[in-house]
Amino acid sequence: PYNNLGAALADEGHYDEALAHYHKALEINPYYPNAYANLGFILAKQGKVEEGITQLFKALQIKPKDYETLSNLGVALLMQNRYAEAAKYLSKALEINPHFAKAHNNLGVVLRRQNRFQESMDHLRSALQLDPDYAEAYNNLGVTLASQGRYQEAIEQFSAALEINPGYAKARQNLEKSLKGKSNETPP
């Protein structure tokens, strides 16, 4: 019950209270992989990334094929700009569950940061095939396209993200930047 209560609190943004419940769940059962995974995810989200990574590894020691934990570990490593390691764990998550849109999206971000644009776009498009309402994947595909100077295509992706989530501030900022970038292009 403590892990579930922690998850409910985390969903509402009450991270400190959630952490207390995850710790209580681990006091009762120190071999509870979901509590370690949830604890690690929240710690990373709070900026305590190294602590979060430690907890995620503990979860994987108990349950090594948990694709969500592997994906969250990849995201935490991405937060530390540890791209090769992030790609490794996100790829492992996709080996276990190739239909996990979040892992495709996050691997797309990692690959973009490694300037592996085609692979990035392939994973982002896979995420969108799996979840056509995934605003973050549209935004990330737009960023990948814009980083290659493909502003018109990027604008379409940012617009799609905003159609799904009109309040998505990052997509709106990226759309505005791409519109400026497009207006700076020299016609042929």
Side-chain angles (χ1 to χ4, degrees):
Y2 287 103
N3 183 63
N4 293 342
L5 186 53
L9 289 163
D11 286 344
E12 293 179 11
H14 301 287
Y15 299 131
D16 291 332
E17 290 175 67
L19 290 175
H21 286 288
Y22 295 141
H23 284 293
K24 185 70 175 167
L26 290 167
E27 281 176 32
I28 294 167
N29 180 1
Y31 300 101
Y32 192 9
N34 293 353
Y36 283 115
N38 291 335
L39 179 62
F41 179 74
I42 296 301
L43 287 168
K45 203 169 188 171
Q46 287 186 317
K48 300 172 188 171
V49 182
E50 199 56 49
E51 282 180 68
I53 289 171
T54 299
Q55 299 305 317
L56 290 163
F57 272 122
K58 286 180 182 178
L60 289 171
Q61 286 174 341
I62 300 165
K63 193 175 176 185
K65 294 194 180 215
D66 185 329
Y67 64 88
E68 289 184 1
T69 301
L70 287 162
S71 180
N72 287 337
L73 177 58
V75 171
L77 292 163
L78 169 62
M79 293 167 82
Q80 291 192 322
N81 301 323
R82 293 162 61 181
Y83 303 132
E85 291 172 88
K88 173 184 162 184
Y89 288 102
L90 289 162
S91 294
K92 279 186 181 182
L94 288 169
E95 284 173 24
I96 296 165
N97 182 358
H99 304 292
F100 190 32
K102 280 186 181 180
H104 279 290
N105 176 65
N106 294 328
L107 185 53
V109 172
V110 169
L111 293 167
R112 180 186 71 241
R113 295 212 183 147
Q114 293 178 312
N115 296 319
R116 296 164 59 186
F117 299 117
Q118 187 57 53
E119 292 171 87
S120 170
M121 290 187 297
D122 290 345
H123 279 283
L124 293 166
R125 288 184 175 123
S126 291
L128 290 167
Q129 280 183 322
L130 293 164
D131 183 357
D133 293 327
Y134 197 170
E136 290 82 2
Y138 281 109
N139 180 66
N140 289 329
L141 181 55
V143 171
T144 302
L145 290 162
S147 65
Q148 299 172 77
R150 296 166 64 179
Y151 296 111
Q152 185 55 48
E153 293 169 85
I155 288 166
E156 292 169 16
Q157 301 307 314
F158 299 135
S159 297
L162 288 166
E163 216 172 282
I164 294 164
N165 180 357
Y168 190 3
K170 277 186 188 177
R172 186 157 313 284
Q173 291 167 353
N174 289 330
L175 175 62
E176 290 168 9
K177 285 181 193 174
S178 286
L179 287 168
K180 288 178 187 172
K182 184 177 180 250
S183 65
N184 292 334
E185 285 181 337
T186 306

